[in-house]
Amino acid sequence: MTQQHTEYDVLVVGGSGVDTIVRVDALPVPLADSVHVGPIEEWPGHTGGNVALGARALGLRVALLDWIGDDWIGGLVRERMAKGDVEFVTLVSPAGTRRAVNLVDATGRRMSFYDPRDPAGLRMPREVYLPRLRRTRHVHLSITDFSRHLYDDIADVGVPVSTDLHDWDGLADHHREFALRSDLVFLSAAGAGEGTPALMREILSEGRADTVVATAGAEGSYLLTRDGGPTPHHIPAAPLPMPAVDTNGAGDAYVTAFLYGRLAGRDVRECARLGAVAGAFACTAPGSTALIGADALLAGEDAPGDRA
């Protein structure tokens, strides 16, 4: 039975769903009427689910609040959260459960087709989230549209909040409020490319964040803080403990381990190194199933390597 907490380390809002994984030889897939592939698999999680599962695997007290469909896909998500001992508070979405189809090549690289599902105007009732906001140390908002409507209450309660913008290019309006109203912002350098450092500076100058983190896959990650100068600090990627199988969920694992370090009072560079270790570990199993524990995370941080 999933443990129910009276207080939380991390409250995750939104972002659960199911990935359909299709393994291909290489990306992009050649244009053809049909392509033979290996077994097609369903893996529940998605970004919010993965952060919640990862936080719980690290021993943090966590709850996930989300809208989810009363459908077989939603059943997969509920089962996965229960097995991961995540307190999962759900509301039934009339549109069903979010889904994605991910093409994954032989190196673990992926291309995702995402179906967000949530209908326009969807709102989470305050009686569902507000009592839990008052009992958590940290909130992590997925960029589902209904999540943005929690910011005013989060500010009133005074709890720190993070978000992951994923591959935001700095232009799409959907992401902007999340970027400017969060204390800690994660994003993928794949979105803005060479413009990533400028986008990180923009988030700091125009928003409330004290730290912006850009993940860059095998290149590692980059940190920019209010008191750290104008140039992002590079954190090298951690070595893979085993061959890469699937990069799905690597960014979510990075976020989770970074939050673990932040909640423990660690320096931001130490948090980023923890994120790198967790992100590498996540690549070693399919479907975001490689969840690192606290002992392995801290052992990986202490392994020899570039700590520039």
Side-chain angles (χ1 to χ4, degrees):
M1 182 176 178
T2 301
Q3 183 176 350
Q4 305 293 305
H5 303 287
T6 56
E7 295 184 348
Y8 306 98
D9 296 305
V10 181
L11 182 67
V12 183
V13 180
S16 66
V18 171
D19 289 324
T20 297
I21 306 297
V22 182
R23 301 196 177 276
V24 298
D25 292 333
L27 290 172
V29 177
L31 182 63
D33 184 64
S34 65
V35 177
H36 290 279
V37 297
I40 296 175
E41 301 168 309
E42 309 283 355
W43 292 104
H46 277 200
T47 182
N50 291 339
V51 170
L53 287 163
R56 190 72 190 113
L58 288 169
L60 298 177
R61 300 165 298 177
V62 61
L64 170 61
L65 313 183
D66 204 2
W67 290 90
I68 195 169
D70 184 17
D71 47 29
W72 71 273
I73 290 289
L76 293 179
V77 180
R78 291 183 179 90
E79 181 181 359
R80 177 84 188 278
M81 296 304 136
K83 287 183 177 178
D85 195 32
V86 169
E87 183 179 332
F88 191 24
V89 181
T90 63
L91 296 159
V92 176
S93 171
T97 303
R98 302 176 205 95
R99 301 191 65 176
V101 176
N102 296 335
L103 306 184
V104 181
D105 71 11
T107 68
R109 193 166 59 103
R110 69 144 188 197
M111 181 176 184
S112 182
F113 300 84
Y114 179 58
D115 173 6
R117 288 293 176 108
D118 293 338
L122 190 67
R123 300 287 187 274
M124 180 167 283
R126 295 180 82 232
E127 61 266 24
V128 172
Y129 67 81
L130 192 55
R132 293 175 173 87
L133 280 184
R134 291 172 174 150
R135 305 199 315 268
T136 191
R137 299 172 62 198
H138 186 91
V139 179
H140 182 76
L141 293 185
S142 301
I143 55 172
T144 46
D145 187 67
F146 69 83
S147 299
R148 73 174 70 249
H149 300 284
L150 275 66
Y151 272 113
D152 287 344
D153 283 323
I154 290 171
D156 288 344
V157 172
V159 63
V161 57
S162 59
T163 194
D164 187 347
L165 306 176
H166 299 284
D167 58 349
W168 187 41
D169 58 4
L171 301 176
D173 287 337
H174 174 82
H175 302 67
R176 186 165 297 278
E177 183 172 9
F178 292 95
L180 301 185
R181 298 192 69 181
S182 298
D183 302 288
L184 169 61
V185 176
F186 299 91
L187 58 97
S188 168
E194 293 181 355
T196 299
L199 179 56
M200 297 172 76
R201 288 190 289 269
E202 178 185 337
I203 292 170
L204 284 181
S205 65
E206 296 187 10
R208 60 172 291 156
D210 57 67
T211 303
V212 181
V213 184
T215 56
E219 295 180 12
S221 59
Y222 296 86
L223 296 174
L224 194 64
T225 62
R226 286 194 177 275
D227 57 358
T231 303
H233 180 82
H234 179 239
I235 300 293
L240 291 170
M242 291 174 282
V245 174
D246 187 349
T247 59
N248 283 298
D252 302 324
Y254 183 107
V255 168
T256 302
F258 194 105
L259 294 179
Y260 176 86
R262 189 173 173 105
L263 288 167
R266 286 174 171 252
D267 173 83
V268 291
R269 296 187 187 185
E270 294 177 351
C271 294
R273 285 193 285 268
L274 291 174
V277 171
F281 188 86
C283 296
T284 62
S288 307
T289 57
L291 302 174
I292 196 167
D295 290 344
L297 179 67
L298 299 177
E301 180 199 25
D302 292 335
D306 187 352
R307 299 175 68 87

